[in-house]
Amino acid sequence: MVQKLVLIPGLNNTAETWDGVKKHLPSTIEAIAVDVPALPVISDIAAELLKELPEQFYVCGFSFGGYVALEMLAQEPERILGISLMGSLTTADSDVQKENRAKSIERAENGEYFEMTEANAPKTFHPDSLENEELLKLRKKIVEDYGAETYIPHVKAMISRQDRTQVLKDAAIPKLLIAGESDKVITAEKIKEVADQVTDAEYTTISHTGHMIPLEQPVVSAEKLASWIGKVSQ
């Protein structure tokens, strides 16, 4: 039986972020990578995506995409067969994070979006990835396709989102939390803290990657997701 897997990209990412992962998934999984609507409220984003998605599916949300996946789970839990958060958390923003995000919105509104994303590359990638010209070229294309007009509403959505830890705890479905070992944006330690709270969640790490897990380690990402779905769908 073919299982449907919805893949939700993160901030500054388009559906293309998942191309490498999709290529390495087995034929038993039908992967549906989406672009996240440029809306400033997370509940509206989730509702808009749910209109177009299959009746039931597994979902993997990367970073900001994890927040969207959790909101889908809160809205229509009966449609989610299993949820994976990749480089993502269940918690809301702290006051400091909200303040920093508000500043980034201001910079993007002032025409500094591309300057910001370029400056953040060393923080989001593993050092070895910064030597990979093809990878950086792909990232640049994705960022250009995404643009400030999508970034600004998405950051607003992150600022106002709710803590969804209890939603994940209460869901009686398979759960997989994936952390990048060298992730400086959302560290493995933070994701492990969520896994310790959500006691029925499976926790795993991927080595040799920073925050950009689907781009940096598409093969291993696909293997982790395929193994998980294969195990829990039996």
Side-chain angles (χ1 to χ4, degrees):
M1 181 180 174
V2 175
Q3 302 291 346
K4 292 179 171 62
L5 171 63
V6 173
L7 300 167
I8 308 176
L11 193 70
N12 302 315
N13 297 167
T14 65
E16 190 174 4
T17 305
W18 293 106
D19 280 3
V21 176
K22 287 171 64 179
K23 188 165 65 176
H24 291 96
L25 286 169
S27 59
T28 52
I29 295 175
E30 178 190 341
I32 304 161
V34 300
D35 284 313
V36 181
L39 299 171
V41 180
I42 205 96
S43 57
D44 292 346
I45 292 171
E48 193 65 26
L49 285 172
L50 283 165
K51 289 177 187 176
E52 306 297 328
L53 293 175
E55 185 178 343
Q56 287 192 309
F57 53 89
Y58 290 87
V59 62
C60 176
F62 163 59
S63 195
F64 171 61
Y67 310 147
V68 176
L70 286 166
E71 192 60 36
M72 286 181 177
L73 182 61
Q75 289 184 21
E76 298 194 33
E78 71 282 356
R79 294 178 63 185
I80 312 296
L81 298 172
I83 185 168
S84 174
L85 304 180
M86 178 182 286
S88 190
L89 299 171
T90 57
T91 50
D93 271 356
S94 66
D95 289 341
V96 172
Q97 286 174 312
K98 289 177 181 179
E99 189 177 322
N100 289 336
R101 292 199 202 282
K103 289 176 183 175
S104 76
I105 289 173
E106 190 175 333
R107 289 188 65 188
E109 289 173 339
N110 289 335
E112 298 178 54
Y113 171 67
F114 294 109
E115 181 185 326
M116 277 195 301
T117 54
E118 282 301 302
N120 283 335
K123 185 180 179 183
T124 55
F125 282 106
H126 187 282
D128 290 351
S129 297
L130 297 171
E131 306 297 321
N132 186 330
E133 289 184 15
E134 284 301 311
L135 183 63
L136 295 181
K137 185 178 175 183
L138 174 59
R139 185 220 184 215
K140 184 179 180 183
K141 177 188 181 299
I142 289 170
V143 167
E144 288 174 350
D145 289 344
Y146 181 87
E149 65 279 0
T150 306
Y151 176 84
I152 291 166
H154 283 179
V155 176
K156 289 178 180 177
M158 284 200 291
I159 290 173
S160 63
R161 78 183 189 278
Q162 300 177 51
D163 187 307
R164 290 304 192 190
T165 306
Q166 195 62 47
V167 169
L168 191 60
K169 281 184 178 181
D170 291 345
I173 57 171
K175 305 155 191 174
L176 174 66
L177 305 184
I178 302 173
E181 280 189 2
S182 302
D183 192 339
K184 296 177 183 176
V185 178
I186 298 179
T187 64
E189 289 77 16
K190 286 181 181 176
I191 295 174
K192 182 65 166 62
E193 285 175 14
V194 174
D196 289 342
Q197 292 181 64
V198 184
T199 52
D200 60 343
E202 183 180 339
Y203 169 78
T204 188
T205 61
I206 295 179
S207 62
H208 215 74
T209 183
H211 185 59
M212 295 302 302
I213 303 168
L215 280 182
E216 296 186 83
Q217 293 292 345
V219 177
V220 182
S221 296
E223 288 172 352
K224 296 275 189 186
L225 290 169
S227 174
W228 172 63
I229 291 173
K231 180 172 60 179
V232 301
S233 62
Q234 290 179 354

